[in-house]
Amino acid sequence: MEVEIVALKRRGVVCISLTAVLAAIGYTSGFLESVTYYDKVTHTFMTFSVSLAFFFLFYAGSVPRRRAISLATSVFTLGFTVGALWEVFEWSTGIGGGGLSDTITDLMVDGGGALAAALVALVVRERGERLT
């Protein structure tokens, strides 16, 4: 059985790379605490990027029309799960230091990023675009 490696287009690579850079800058420079909404933008963008990466890696950009709800649900769920696991890590280690209210709002923006990615995945599927 031949293993296929899915190649992401430049936009996908740039999106994921930008997420890593945003997070690294936030943690090393103190922007997470000092810049208003930096943490929320980073969480939203991270979950959005991870969710879309799941879509393109697992579905390779093609899903039958009758599976649209399954597609959106799985993209959202996988992305939100990654965001939730990261929040558990942040909260349990004290990174970010925002307490419970910060954790809850981070989970909400993680959900927003995952939802946006699910909607983009549905649009990509509807247009028939493929990134492979």
Side-chain angles (χ1 to χ4, degrees):
M1 183 174 197
E2 193 174 313
V3 177
E4 236 182 300
I5 298 176
V6 178
L8 297 174
K9 281 186 177 177
R10 250 180 270 166
R11 291 178 293 198
V13 172
V14 168
C15 194
I16 292 169
S17 300
L18 184 57
T19 300
V21 169
L22 280 173
I25 289 171
Y27 285 112
T28 59
S29 67
F31 282 176
L32 289 173
E33 291 84 19
S34 64
V35 177
T36 307
Y37 299 116
Y38 189 89
D39 182 42
K40 305 308 176 226
V41 169
T42 303
H43 275 279
T44 304
F45 196 66
M46 179 271 301
T47 311
F48 176 79
S49 298
V50 168
S51 300
L52 273 185
F54 282 138
F55 167 65
F56 291 121
L57 291 172
F58 293 145
Y59 295 108
S62 63
V63 175
R65 184 174 295 270
R66 64 177 188 236
R67 301 279 189 230
I69 299 300
S70 298
L71 165 71
T73 302
S74 63
V75 169
F76 173 81
T77 303
L78 286 170
F80 188 71
T81 300
V82 169
L85 290 173
W86 180 253
E87 276 311 307
V88 168
F89 171 75
E90 270 190 353
W91 185 75
S92 63
T93 60
I95 294 175
L100 186 58
S101 65
D102 177 62
T103 300
I104 297 301
T105 55
D106 284 352
L107 286 170
M108 289 174 15
V109 297
D110 286 340
L115 180 61
L119 295 174
V120 168
L122 286 172
V123 168
V124 168
R125 184 204 51 87
E126 186 63 33
R127 290 182 180 173
E129 295 176 13
R130 293 179 58 99
L131 291 186
T132 58

